Amino acid sequence: MNKKAIALLSGGLDSSLAVRMMVDQGIEITAVNFTSPFCNCTPRKAGCKHQATKIAEEFGIALRVITKGMDYMKVVQNPRHGYGRGMNPCIDCRIYMLKKAKEMMGSSGASFIITGEVLGQRPMSQHRAAIQKIEQESGLEGRILRPLSAQHFPPTIPEQEGIVDRQKLLSFSGRSRKAQMDLAERLGVKDYPCPAGGCLLTDKVIASRLRDLFTHVVDYDMADLHLLKIGRHFRLHRELKIIVGRDLGENEIISSLARPGASLFQPAGFRGPTVLACGSPDPPVERTIGEILARYSQDNRTSYSIRKQTLREGESFFSVDKKFDKETLAMLQVGAG
């Protein structure tokens, strides 16, 4: 065994501290940062990748960014070990990331893996039984070092072989981050964006929209996943969902993520949102979409002119003379957003 390791680095407080502790022990680290449409560990304008890059540069370590793609979505859709409070397959997600990190060990020459996990911090994936299961199924028993909680576990192989000094490892546990924040102060780790991190799969709105997507769309793609975070969603019938923008920024994102076969509905001559129809609405349903668009307009008119755009059919116009009923619309909403 050598002094090289792969470290899972989200850019949050715990993983940053774990990496810093190992750097201080002279371990040569290659960090790996996993991103997905559901990552929420840093402010959205910065993004998780940005923070992990910043930490890696500060600590002088190499960083590789891996996007959790459609192979990961198969895990989310059918997790072997179930979900947490939302659609978060925490145990299966952890196994997925560790297997990816294990694949990196060969090319980097690393002999063990470092994580920022703290015993008892996350209810689904960081209790003893879950940790043991994750190690077994990832094929990394004895090779996952958790510097913040190491004293609660038997010595790992790098500790047994003297690669890592066990006496300098810690015994943090529980959900409080106070001990970590104190340690950050001592180690000079500053400007961490989110002590507790985050995953949008735990959010009840995102979870509801994702269940709806899995139920109704067989060939979903990454654009569909990004759209789950945008606007208000309404399921008009089994084969048709619409997404209504809430502001100018969302209107622009909705337009940019529209599939070639999708339809965009926009106000013509009045203030209102962009509406994306994911499906093929017939004329009566188009009128319903126009009335929903009018419902979210700030203008009160006797008639609302709607512009419909599709890549295949071009541009057309139609009018509606009322706003969609508010109570009925609430019953069609997929998650509150």
Side-chain angles (χ1 to χ4, degrees), residues 1-7 17-30 59-61 109-112 114 145 147 158 162-166 168-169 187:
M1 179 165 282
N2 56 40
K3 294 177 75 70
K4 295 182 179 181
I6 302 294
L17 290 173
V19 169
R20 175 57 189 273
M21 290 174 64
M22 292 297 93
V23 169
D24 288 349
Q25 286 210 31
I27 304 300
E28 182 181 336
I29 292 174
T30 298
F59 294 168
I61 60 176
S111 55
F112 63 104
I114 297 162
L145 177 64
I163 302 297
V164 173
D165 185 350
R166 182 174 174 82
K168 294 180 180 179
L169 304 180
L187 295 180

Coordinates of all heavy atoms in Angstrom, one line a residue, residues 1-7 17-30 59-61 109-112 114 145 147 158 162-166 168-169 187:
M1 N 0.8 -1.2 0.0 CA 0.0 0.0 0.0 C 0.9 1.2 0.0 O 1.9 1.3 0.6 CB -0.9 0.0 1.2 CG -1.8 1.2 1.3 SD -3.2 1.0 2.5 CE -4.3 0.1 1.5
N2 N 0.4 2.3 -0.7 CA 1.2 3.5 -0.8 C 0.4 4.7 -0.2 O -0.7 4.5 0.3 CB 1.6 3.8 -2.3 CG 0.3 3.9 -3.2 OD1 -0.7 4.4 -2.8 ND2 0.4 3.3 -4.4
K3 N 1.0 5.9 -0.3 CA 0.5 7.1 0.3 C -0.4 7.9 -0.7 O -0.5 9.1 -0.7 CB 1.6 7.9 0.8 CG 2.3 7.3 2.0 CD 3.4 8.2 2.5 CE 2.9 9.4 3.3 NZ 2.4 9.1 4.6
K4 N -1.0 7.1 -1.7 CA -1.9 7.8 -2.6 C -3.3 7.4 -2.4 O -3.6 6.2 -2.1 CB -1.5 7.4 -4.1 CG -0.1 7.9 -4.5 CD 0.1 7.4 -6.0 CE 1.5 8.0 -6.4 NZ 1.7 7.6 -7.9
A5 N -4.2 8.3 -2.5 CA -5.6 8.1 -2.2 C -6.5 8.8 -3.2 O -6.2 9.9 -3.7 CB -6.0 8.4 -0.8
I6 N -7.7 8.3 -3.4 CA -8.8 9.0 -4.1 C -9.7 9.6 -3.0 O -10.1 8.9 -2.1 CB -9.6 8.1 -5.0 CG1 -8.7 7.4 -6.0 CG2 -10.8 8.8 -5.6 CD1 -8.1 8.3 -7.0
A7 N -10.1 10.8 -3.1 CA -11.0 11.5 -2.1 C -12.2 12.0 -2.8 O -12.2 12.6 -3.8 CB -10.3 12.7 -1.5
L17 N -12.8 19.2 5.0 CA -12.0 18.9 6.2 C -11.2 17.6 6.1 O -10.1 17.4 6.5 CB -12.9 18.9 7.4 CG -13.4 20.2 7.8 CD1 -14.4 20.1 9.0 CD2 -12.3 21.2 8.3
A18 N -11.9 16.5 5.6 CA -11.3 15.2 5.5 C -10.1 15.3 4.6 O -9.0 14.7 4.9 CB -12.3 14.2 5.0
V19 N -10.2 16.0 3.4 CA -9.1 16.1 2.5 C -8.0 16.9 3.1 O -6.8 16.5 3.0 CB -9.6 16.8 1.2 CG1 -8.4 17.1 0.3 CG2 -10.5 15.8 0.4
R20 N -8.3 18.0 3.8 CA -7.3 18.8 4.4 C -6.5 18.0 5.5 O -5.2 18.0 5.5 CB -7.9 20.0 5.1 CG -6.9 20.9 5.9 CD -5.7 21.3 5.0 NE -4.7 21.9 5.9 CZ -4.7 23.3 6.2 NH1 -5.7 24.1 5.8 NH2 -3.7 23.8 6.9
M21 N -7.2 17.1 6.3 CA -6.5 16.3 7.3 C -5.5 15.3 6.6 O -4.4 15.1 7.1 CB -7.5 15.6 8.1 CG -8.3 16.4 9.0 SD -9.7 15.5 9.8 CE -8.7 14.3 10.8
M22 N -5.9 14.8 5.5 CA -5.0 13.8 4.8 C -3.9 14.5 4.1 O -2.8 14.0 4.0 CB -5.8 13.0 3.8 CG -6.8 12.1 4.5 SD -6.0 10.8 5.5 CE -6.1 11.6 7.1
V23 N -4.1 15.7 3.5 CA -3.0 16.5 3.0 C -2.0 16.8 4.0 O -0.8 16.7 3.8 CB -3.6 17.8 2.3 CG1 -2.4 18.7 2.0 CG2 -4.4 17.5 1.1
D24 N -2.4 17.1 5.2 CA -1.5 17.4 6.3 C -0.7 16.2 6.8 O 0.3 16.3 7.4 CB -2.3 18.0 7.5 CG -2.8 19.4 7.3 OD1 -2.4 20.0 6.3 OD2 -3.6 19.9 8.1
Q25 N -1.2 15.0 6.5 CA -0.5 13.8 6.8 C 0.4 13.3 5.6 O 1.0 12.2 5.7 CB -1.4 12.6 7.2 CG -2.1 12.8 8.6 CD -2.4 11.5 9.2 OE1 -1.7 10.5 9.0 NE2 -3.4 11.5 10.1
G26 N 0.5 14.1 4.6 CA 1.4 13.8 3.5 C 0.8 12.8 2.5 O 1.6 12.3 1.7
I27 N -0.5 12.6 2.5 CA -1.1 11.7 1.5 C -1.3 12.5 0.2 O -1.7 13.6 0.1 CB -2.5 11.2 2.0 CG1 -2.4 10.6 3.4 CG2 -3.1 10.3 1.0 CD1 -1.5 9.4 3.4
E28 N -0.9 11.8 -0.9 CA -1.0 12.3 -2.3 C -2.5 12.0 -2.7 O -2.8 10.9 -2.9 CB 0.0 11.7 -3.2 CG -0.1 12.3 -4.6 CD 0.9 11.6 -5.6 OE1 1.9 11.1 -5.1 OE2 0.6 11.6 -6.8
I29 N -3.2 13.1 -2.9 CA -4.7 12.9 -3.2 C -5.1 13.3 -4.6 O -4.6 14.3 -5.1 CB -5.5 13.7 -2.1 CG1 -5.3 13.1 -0.7 CG2 -7.0 13.8 -2.5 CD1 -6.0 13.9 0.3
T30 N -5.9 12.5 -5.2 CA -6.6 12.9 -6.4 C -8.1 12.9 -6.0 O -8.7 11.9 -5.5 CB -6.5 11.9 -7.5 OG1 -5.1 11.8 -7.9 CG2 -7.3 12.2 -8.7
F59 N -5.9 23.5 -1.8 CA -5.1 22.4 -1.2 C -4.0 21.9 -2.1 O -3.2 21.0 -1.6 CB -6.0 21.3 -0.8 CG -7.0 21.6 0.3 CD1 -8.1 20.8 0.6 CD2 -6.9 22.8 1.0 CE1 -9.0 21.1 1.6 CE2 -7.8 23.1 2.0 CZ -8.9 22.2 2.3
G60 N -3.9 22.3 -3.3 CA -2.9 21.8 -4.2 C -3.0 20.4 -4.7 O -2.0 19.7 -4.8
I61 N -4.3 19.9 -4.9 CA -4.5 18.5 -5.3 C -5.2 18.5 -6.7 O -5.8 19.5 -7.1 CB -5.4 17.8 -4.2 CG1 -6.7 18.5 -4.1 CG2 -4.6 17.7 -2.9 CD1 -7.7 17.7 -3.2
G109 N -3.0 4.9 -9.4 CA -2.1 4.3 -8.5 C -2.5 4.4 -7.0 O -1.7 4.0 -6.1
A110 N -3.7 4.8 -6.7 CA -4.1 5.0 -5.3 C -4.5 3.6 -4.7 O -4.8 2.7 -5.4 CB -5.4 5.9 -5.3
S111 N -4.3 3.6 -3.4 CA -4.5 2.3 -2.7 C -5.7 2.4 -1.7 O -6.1 1.3 -1.2 CB -3.3 1.8 -2.0 OG -2.8 2.8 -1.1
F112 N -6.3 3.5 -1.5 CA -7.4 3.6 -0.6 C -8.3 4.9 -1.0 O -7.8 5.7 -1.8 CB -7.1 3.6 0.9 CG -6.2 4.8 1.3 CD1 -6.8 5.8 2.1 CD2 -4.8 4.8 1.1 CE1 -6.0 6.9 2.5 CE2 -4.0 5.8 1.5 CZ -4.6 6.9 2.3
I114 N -10.8 8.2 0.5 CA -11.1 9.0 1.6 C -12.5 9.7 1.4 O -12.8 10.1 0.3 CB -10.1 10.2 1.7 CG1 -8.7 9.6 2.0 CG2 -10.5 11.2 2.8 CD1 -7.6 10.6 1.7
L145 N -11.4 5.2 4.2 CA -11.0 5.9 5.4 C -11.9 7.2 5.6 O -12.0 8.0 4.7 CB -9.5 6.4 5.3 CG -9.0 7.2 6.5 CD1 -9.0 6.3 7.8 CD2 -7.5 7.6 6.2
P147 N -11.7 10.2 7.9 CA -10.9 10.8 8.9 C -11.7 11.5 10.1 O -11.2 11.5 11.2 CB -10.2 11.9 8.1 CG -10.1 11.4 6.7 CD -11.4 10.7 6.6
P158 N -4.9 1.3 5.5 CA -3.9 2.3 5.5 C -3.5 2.6 6.9 O -2.3 3.0 7.2 CB -4.5 3.5 4.8 CG -5.9 3.2 4.7 CD -6.1 1.7 4.7
G162 N 0.4 1.8 8.7 CA 1.1 2.9 9.1 C 1.2 4.0 8.0 O 1.9 5.0 8.2
I163 N 0.4 3.9 7.0 CA 0.3 4.9 5.9 C -0.3 6.2 6.5 O 0.1 7.3 6.2 CB -0.4 4.4 4.7 CG1 0.2 3.1 4.1 CG2 -0.5 5.5 3.6 CD1 1.6 3.3 3.7
V164 N -1.3 6.0 7.3 CA -2.0 7.1 8.0 C -1.9 6.9 9.5 O -2.0 5.8 10.0 CB -3.5 7.1 7.6 CG1 -4.3 8.1 8.4 CG2 -3.7 7.3 6.1
D165 N -1.6 8.0 10.2 CA -1.5 8.0 11.6 C -2.9 8.1 12.3 O -3.5 9.1 12.3 CB -0.7 9.2 12.1 CG -0.4 9.2 13.6 OD1 -0.9 8.4 14.3 OD2 0.4 10.1 14.0
R166 N -3.3 6.9 12.8 CA -4.6 6.8 13.4 C -4.8 7.8 14.6 O -5.9 8.3 14.8 CB -4.9 5.4 13.9 CG -6.3 5.2 14.5 CD -6.6 3.7 14.7 NE -7.8 3.5 15.4 CZ -9.0 3.4 14.8 NH1 -9.1 3.6 13.5 NH2 -10.1 3.2 15.6
K168 N -4.1 10.7 14.8 CA -4.5 12.1 14.3 C -5.8 12.1 13.7 O -6.3 13.2 13.2 CB -3.4 12.6 13.3 CG -2.0 12.8 13.9 CD -1.1 13.3 12.9 CE 0.3 13.5 13.5 NZ 1.3 14.0 12.5
L169 N -6.5 11.0 13.7 CA -7.9 10.9 13.2 C -8.9 11.2 14.3 O -8.6 11.1 15.5 CB -8.1 9.6 12.6 CG -7.1 9.2 11.5 CD1 -7.4 7.8 10.9 CD2 -7.1 10.2 10.4
L187 N -8.1 24.7 11.3 CA -7.3 24.3 10.1 C -7.2 25.4 9.0 O -6.6 25.3 8.0 CB -7.9 23.1 9.5 CG -7.8 21.8 10.3 CD1 -8.4 20.6 9.6 CD2 -6.4 21.5 10.7

